[in-house]
Amino acid sequence: MSGFYPFSQEGCTTDAEVWARSGKRGQRAFELAEMRLPIVPGFILDSRLTGKMDAADVMGMIRQALPQIEAGVGRKYGDQTNPLLLKVVVSSNLSLPIYPTVFNVGLSEANIAGFAAMIGEQQAWFEYCYLLRTAGTKLFGLAPAQFDAIEAKFEKTTEGTMSCAREMKALIGADKIPDEPFAQLEAVIKQTARSYFDPDLEEDDNPAIIVQGMVFGNIGEESSVGMYFTRDIISGENRLSGSFLYKSYTLDRDGQDIHSLSEGYLNQLKEIGSALERKFRELREVKFIVENKKLWLINQTSVDKKSTQAHLRTLLDLMKSGAVEEKWVVEQIPPGQLASLLHPVVDPKSLDGIKAITGGLGGSPGAAVGRVFFSADALMEAHRDALQKGEDTRLILMVEASFAEDVKAIEVGQGVISVEGGYSSHAPVVARSLGKVSIVNPEIKMGDRQFELSGTVIKEGDYVTMDVPVYRPPMIALGKASLINPDIQTNGLVEFIEIIRKFIQPSFVVRANADLGRDARVAKMMGAYGIGLCRTEHMFFAEDRINRFREMILARDAADRKKALDDLRPLQAGDFYDLFKTMSPYPVTIRLLDAPLHEFLPRTPEMLDAYMEYLKKKGSGGDRAAIQAQIDRLHEFNPMLGHRGCRVAVSYPEIYEMQVRAIFEAAVRLSAEGIDVVPEIMIPLIMNPNELRFIRNGKKIEGKHIIGISDIGRDYKRGNGQPVDYKVGTMIELPAAALLSTEIARYAEFFSFGTNDLTQTTNGLSRDDVNSFFPVYTEFDLLASNPFQVLGDPVKELVRLSSQRGKLSRPDLKLGLCGEHGADPANIEFCMDSGLNYVSCSPYSVPIALLAVAQLTMNRSSGAR
């Protein structure tokens, strides 16, 4: 019969067009039937029939379908002693809450005694009330308040519920819900079609109608109702997760753990869960009823609230079982979701009773809990005290803005909250490189060892919770919440990275920004193909180096400066040795000193006191006033465009000489161990080819001989007597350099686009101050997005132009991007299109970038763009 399609555990139609006309609920019923799983039998009247229902032979379809349903459930429709009840479901392809289910169709005063013998008299009348209320409000358009008023008149007793049902039926009209079961079913089906057919929709887009037998979790022995997930939706552990209620009609309260079910049912549910995961290739939610020792499936759906970890572990298990291929697994996870596998998340249950304020900018994702401190020194002291006393060592740094001397505190702490700056300002950049959490919130009002946010004052030593998810604004909770910590060895990430890397082509890879050996080890574990940016200035912030470096900066003459540099060189060589050895056989790009020198100097009287104490202990002493005056002279009003990068090398060539010698010494040492490395030496902040030629080749003028990198390279030989191979390149971070790339490439084997500074200098924006006006720009649509997160068109144009011009002079020029933009999938696609060879990002962002590259590569190889 056209438009009429039965289903049961014995099977169903496999016509794809019929499935498409059966709505989502109908499709789910067909799916279970097709898999020969224990679905309660029923039939579907498809969408083409909905608008023609009044003229259709509905009674004929009912009488044709009922024997199969009766046989399956074990009850007879309309029977006085053992009545079968049905539900009528509106099944649309639209997920809208307006589409109802009418339960208990077939129930009336004529057969209620038989139903009462199964579930109890008061419960039977309650079910009849439920049928009448649903039909009245959802099919006949009566106001819910009318039924509320009737319910309020009667006590919750058998007699009261009976009287309630009779008054509800009178309200609807006896002719609309007939007592005769077959007439009642026909009336409900036709009225459902009239109520939900939309003549403005195409015939195939209208909802279908499902008629299905009803089973109950409170009839007979060993009856229950329950739901479960095919595995844990948080951890992804391959173990059923759910609950059930014994002898209950609905799971409307907390039930027993699913594993308390008898072994026979539990094994059935496990087998069903495994079959569903293989069929749908994902974790599923299943609702079931056990009626009188028989298990029935009521529904199965996808699980929107599953964690990324659970989804990934499901996919990996399916891959191991042969149900899916590696390529398909890689295609299923959106790159940004991997962030949740790398960082802790807040347990939402632990936020009860804690004031939480959403707002600000997420500088580095994750979650952190700790006591808040307002200076690096205070945090470090608190950390030492906590270690000695065995107390909580979780601490969070809160500052107006962070500086070089705060790095140690960010590293020791769990996270950093700053008031000033943007996504690419100091605190977020450092936090991302260290895997710490960062929030920038200009609404915070700083006070004396306290801050105020949204009317609440938090004092030094109080607990705060930071939550920076990937897909929603960050949150600061003013109290101590609980965290769920990731384990990349068990959450599937390490295994997933190995699979992703199979789809990475040598023509475009992902490197990491890593400054120390520990960063490199994390980067390699995260799948990085080398280091694209080692910021050597970060190597001098350690407590055992910073004061010696300050001595070098404040040296009275070149001889004293060289002495200090000679002391630092073995430490630098050790750093480079560690980086090269850890990342072998992959390349490592070392950026020579870039930061303005004044950033390393004491900024406060307390910091100057500590430096003077250091000099005193060394026995070298020094005049405090003279040192302060020297510090003042080195101060710059606009340091990011001042005395930094290659300009320091021109003024103080001995600094770069020390660093380059340290690089070659590390390479020679590794060569003796049988590890050959090819260092990539990168010169920052070049604005014209003369600077790069000067630093690379050196210069002799009027008795002066400035030693260049090539001069230093000739001093070092590998164990076999051969010279050390190396490459020299530059960062393109100024528009002038981009425009002069043809000339600059004559002296550079590689370009690395420093898009943080290139964005600043192209747009005239300060990454540390952009938040002061960016919200207004967003409000008026003056900028489509934050240019420090999404590459703007002017910067893209400069990158394209520089790449093209550079390759005119050097066709084999290697091109990379090492700004914070490197982990964003949209930016990665642009880099691939522009002929770049790699992007480089913080170690904890490497898996995100790798996945984006793999997905783009697969799409392009299959012809999809």
Side-chain angles (χ1 to χ4, degrees):
M1 189 177 295
S2 177
F4 163 77
Y5 303 97
F7 60 86
S8 71
Q9 189 172 358
E10 302 304 316
C12 63
T13 178
T14 57
D15 188 326
E17 292 185 1
V18 172
W19 283 40
R21 298 196 301 268
S22 298
K24 290 184 177 179
R25 295 184 183 185
Q27 290 165 22
R28 290 200 292 266
F30 282 152
E31 286 163 350
L32 290 173
E34 184 185 44
M35 295 175 70
R36 304 299 174 99
L37 296 176
I39 183 173
V40 183
F43 62 92
I44 292 176
L45 306 173
D46 76 5
S47 61
R48 290 185 178 178
L49 196 56
T50 304
K52 307 169 186 174
M53 202 69 73
D54 281 330
D57 181 14
V58 175
M59 189 60 71
M61 288 184 274
I62 290 171
R63 294 191 181 280
Q64 180 181 341
L66 279 176
Q68 183 186 44
I69 302 175
E70 292 169 338
V73 176
R75 289 191 286 277
K76 189 171 182 61
Y77 189 72
D79 191 76
Q80 298 291 314
T81 58
N82 187 29
L84 168 71
L85 300 185
L86 302 170
K87 61 182 177 181
V88 176
V89 184
V90 180
S91 176
S92 170
N93 284 319
L94 302 174
S95 297
L96 296 175
I98 63 171
Y99 297 120
T101 297
V102 182
F103 293 95
N104 305 318
V105 178
L107 186 59
S108 70
E109 289 200 44
N111 60 9
I112 200 167
F115 188 53
M118 300 179 194
I119 68 170
E121 190 173 5
Q122 183 181 348
Q123 183 67 36
W125 282 103
F126 172 82
E127 297 298 341
Y128 189 32
C129 286
Y130 191 57
L131 161 64
L132 294 168
R133 182 187 178 102
T134 306
T137 58
K138 302 297 185 182
L139 302 185
F140 296 103
L142 298 174
Q146 293 178 275
F147 291 89
D148 293 341
I150 293 173
E151 289 179 357
K153 291 168 60 176
F154 301 102
E155 295 183 359
K156 307 299 184 196
T157 62
T158 300
E159 292 75 15
T161 310
M162 182 190 307
S163 299
C164 181
R166 287 169 175 165
E167 191 162 329
M168 284 182 175
K169 184 172 182 182
L171 174 64
I172 298 170
D175 60 323
K176 293 180 178 178
I177 301 290
D179 282 348
E180 200 285 316
F182 285 88
Q184 185 188 105
L185 177 57
E186 183 181 33
V188 169
I189 291 173
K190 288 189 173 183
Q191 184 60 33
T192 300
R194 293 187 203 108
S195 299
Y196 293 96
F197 174 74
D198 186 346
D200 293 330
L201 292 176
E202 293 290 336
E203 186 178 56
D204 287 1
D205 294 334
N206 265 283
I209 294 174
I210 306 171
V211 179
Q212 190 175 17
M214 288 187 66
V215 293
F216 299 86
N218 55 354
I219 293 179
E221 296 299 318
E222 293 189 24
S223 294
S224 57
V225 58
M227 62 74 58
Y228 70 98
F229 301 107
T230 53
R231 64 179 62 217
D232 190 289
I233 64 170
I234 301 299
S235 70
E237 180 185 0
N238 192 6
R239 184 175 187 268
L240 301 189
S241 171
S243 60
F244 73 99
L245 284 173
Y246 179 63
K247 286 197 172 183
S248 176
Y249 175 50
T250 60
L251 192 66
D252 56 1
R253 62 185 187 275
D254 292 339
Q256 301 179 55
D257 185 273
I258 194 75
H259 293 276
S260 300
L261 272 174
S262 64
E263 186 176 359
Y265 299 129
L266 195 60
N267 287 337
Q268 275 187 273
L269 294 177
K270 287 178 180 176
E271 290 176 7
I272 290 168
S274 296
L276 289 170
E277 285 192 350
R278 289 194 300 273
K279 166 74 173 177
F280 296 100
R281 301 187 291 187
E282 66 173 3
L283 188 159
R284 304 297 282 186
E285 178 182 356
V286 183
K287 294 179 180 176
F288 67 93
I289 285 177
V290 176
E291 181 187 285
N292 201 21
K293 299 184 179 181
K294 179 166 177 58
L295 174 69
W296 294 100
L297 297 185
I298 305 304
N299 196 11
Q300 62 80 28
T301 61
S302 59
V303 184
D304 292 336
K305 59 184 178 181
K306 63 181 176 289
S307 70
T308 301
Q309 175 172 326
H311 187 36
L312 177 58
R313 289 187 65 179
T314 304
L315 295 175
L316 293 174
D317 286 348
L318 289 170
M319 185 194 71
K320 292 171 188 173
S321 72
V324 298
E325 297 180 348
E326 289 179 335
K327 180 177 183 292
W328 192 85
V329 172
V330 172
E331 291 172 334
Q332 299 313 300
I333 306 287
Q337 287 188 10
L338 290 187
S340 64
L341 302 178
L342 295 159
H343 306 283
V345 295
V346 173
D347 184 347
K349 296 177 183 177
S350 68
L351 287 172
D352 292 344
I354 300 177
K355 184 176 182 179
I357 297 100
T358 298
L361 180 146
S364 180
V369 175
R371 292 177 290 146
V372 65
F373 288 88
F374 294 89
S375 71
D377 289 342
L379 186 144
M380 297 301 292
E381 184 177 349
H383 188 258
R384 284 190 290 269
D385 288 346
L387 286 173
Q388 292 171 1
K389 297 175 182 177
E391 296 175 347
D392 192 349
T393 58
R394 295 178 301 169
L395 311 172
I396 289 172
L397 181 65
M398 162 70 80
V399 290
E400 292 273 3
S402 69
F403 296 91
E405 64 270 14
D406 297 317
V407 172
K408 59 186 178 184
I410 298 173
E411 181 179 0
V412 167
Q414 305 299 303
V416 55
I417 302 171
S418 52
V419 180
E420 301 172 359
Y423 183 77
S424 295
S425 57
H426 186 267
V429 170
V430 172
R432 287 193 293 272
S433 72
L434 296 173
K436 306 294 181 176
V437 188
S438 166
I439 292 176
V440 182
N441 192 332
E443 299 299 316
I444 293 172
K445 299 176 182 177
M446 297 286 281
D448 182 16
R449 297 176 67 182
Q450 67 179 39
F451 76 89
E452 180 182 338
L453 181 59
S454 194
T456 300
V457 174
I458 294 293
K459 298 184 180 296
E460 190 162 77
D462 290 346
Y463 276 95
V464 299
T465 299
M466 303 171 64
D467 185 24
V468 187
V470 176
Y471 293 111
R472 64 177 186 271
M475 178 271 292
I476 298 175
L478 306 179
K480 182 180 180 182
S482 300
L483 302 181
I484 301 171
N485 290 304
D487 181 346
I488 64 172
Q489 298 296 336
T490 60
N491 67 13
L493 181 60
V494 171
E495 185 178 353
F496 189 44
I497 289 170
E498 292 178 2
I499 297 169
I500 293 170
R501 283 169 57 96
K502 295 179 181 180
F503 299 93
I504 302 295
Q505 300 296 323
S507 57
F508 194 94
V509 299
V510 178
R511 297 194 195 181
N513 300 341
D515 308 324
L516 299 170
R518 63 171 180 269
D519 304 329
R521 284 182 278 279
V522 172
K524 199 165 189 180
M525 184 169 57
M526 294 297 169
Y529 286 80
I531 293 175
L533 174 63
C534 167
R535 294 157 290 205
T536 54
E537 54 269 16
H538 289 182
M539 296 173 170
F540 299 116
F541 293 142
E543 286 192 58
D544 62 340
R545 304 183 189 189
I546 185 63
N547 283 322
R548 193 69 181 114
F549 198 71
R550 286 168 176 165
E551 277 191 279
M552 184 275 297
I553 297 171
L554 298 171
R556 289 166 292 191
D557 52 40
D560 285 349
R561 187 174 299 109
K562 189 174 184 309
K563 183 178 179 182
L565 289 168
D566 286 343
D567 290 344
L568 289 166
R569 193 167 90 194
L571 301 175
Q572 278 265 270
D575 292 334
F576 297 143
Y577 171 86
D578 199 7
L579 285 175
F580 291 145
K581 187 169 185 177
T582 300
M583 291 309 299
S584 177
Y586 299 115
V588 175
T589 301
I590 305 292
R591 184 181 73 184
L592 302 183
L593 186 70
D594 182 33
L597 294 180
H598 82 276
E599 281 197 6
F600 298 93
L601 299 177
R603 289 188 304 109
T604 65
E606 293 77 14
M607 293 172 67
L608 183 55
D609 288 341
Y611 179 63
M612 297 305 299
E613 183 64 23
Y614 161 80
L615 293 177
K616 182 179 178 182
K617 286 180 179 178
K618 279 193 65 180
S620 56
D623 182 86
R624 181 189 177 94
I627 291 174
Q628 181 63 64
Q630 194 173 359
I631 292 172
D632 292 341
R633 284 194 298 273
L634 287 169
H635 173 76
E636 295 182 85
F637 291 104
N638 190 0
M640 298 312 293
L641 295 178
H643 198 186
R644 56 169 284 213
C646 68
R647 299 160 192 175
V648 171
V650 175
S651 302
Y652 307 109
E654 56 269 19
I655 295 178
Y656 275 21
E657 180 183 350
M658 179 277 286
Q659 291 191 293
V660 173
R661 289 191 181 279
I663 290 170
F664 283 120
E665 287 167 6
V668 169
R669 179 181 170 191
L670 284 166
S671 177
E673 298 175 13
I675 301 173
D676 286 335
V677 298
V678 180
E680 296 182 352
I681 303 170
M682 184 158 68
I683 314 303
L685 212 71
I686 291 291
M687 64 179 174
N688 65 52
N690 297 331
E691 294 166 311
L692 184 57
R693 181 178 58 199
F694 175 84
I695 294 168
R696 177 168 189 150
N697 298 336
K699 194 160 189 174
K700 293 181 180 178
I701 184 172
E702 297 179 359
K704 279 189 176 182
H705 181 195
I706 305 300
I707 297 176
I709 295 172
S710 57
D711 297 318
I712 299 169
R714 285 189 282 271
D715 292 341
Y716 294 89
K717 307 290 182 185
R718 300 185 186 276
N720 59 8
Q722 295 298 311
V724 175
D725 293 329
Y726 64 94
K727 297 180 185 297
V728 175
T730 186
M731 290 190 83
I732 302 296
E733 47 197 329
L734 298 175
L739 296 171
L740 294 171
S741 292
T742 305
E743 292 80 7
I744 290 174
R746 295 172 185 163
Y747 308 103
E749 280 106 348
F750 64 90
F751 283 175
S752 181
F753 295 99
T755 51
N756 296 337
D757 275 340
L758 190 56
T759 296
Q760 289 195 109
T761 55
T762 298
N763 295 295
L765 293 173
S766 165
R767 66 186 183 188
D768 296 313
D769 302 308
V770 68
N771 273 7
S772 63
F773 60 85
F774 191 71
V776 181
Y777 269 57
T778 301
E779 180 182 356
F780 292 109
D781 294 326
L782 301 181
L783 278 174
S785 55
N786 187 335
F788 291 102
Q789 291 179 276
V790 179
L791 284 173
D793 289 339
V795 175
K796 287 181 178 179
E797 183 61 26
L798 286 172
V799 171
R800 271 192 293 261
L801 182 147
S802 176
S803 302
Q804 294 165 359
R805 292 188 177 183
K807 288 201 169 188
L808 290 175
S809 293
R810 192 181 293 270
D812 62 348
L813 183 71
K814 186 183 293 185
L815 301 168
L817 183 148
C818 65
E820 289 300 317
H821 298 89
D824 185 276
N827 297 332
I828 289 171
E829 184 169 18
F830 160 75
C831 292
M832 294 176 76
D833 288 339
S834 299
L836 273 63
N837 304 107
Y838 66 88
V839 291
S840 186
C841 53
S842 62
Y844 291 95
S845 296
V846 166
I848 298 170
L850 279 173
L851 182 55
V853 173
Q855 290 177 351
L856 286 165
T857 301
M858 288 189 294
N859 287 341
R860 293 174 181 206
S861 64
S862 63
R865 287 295 300 273

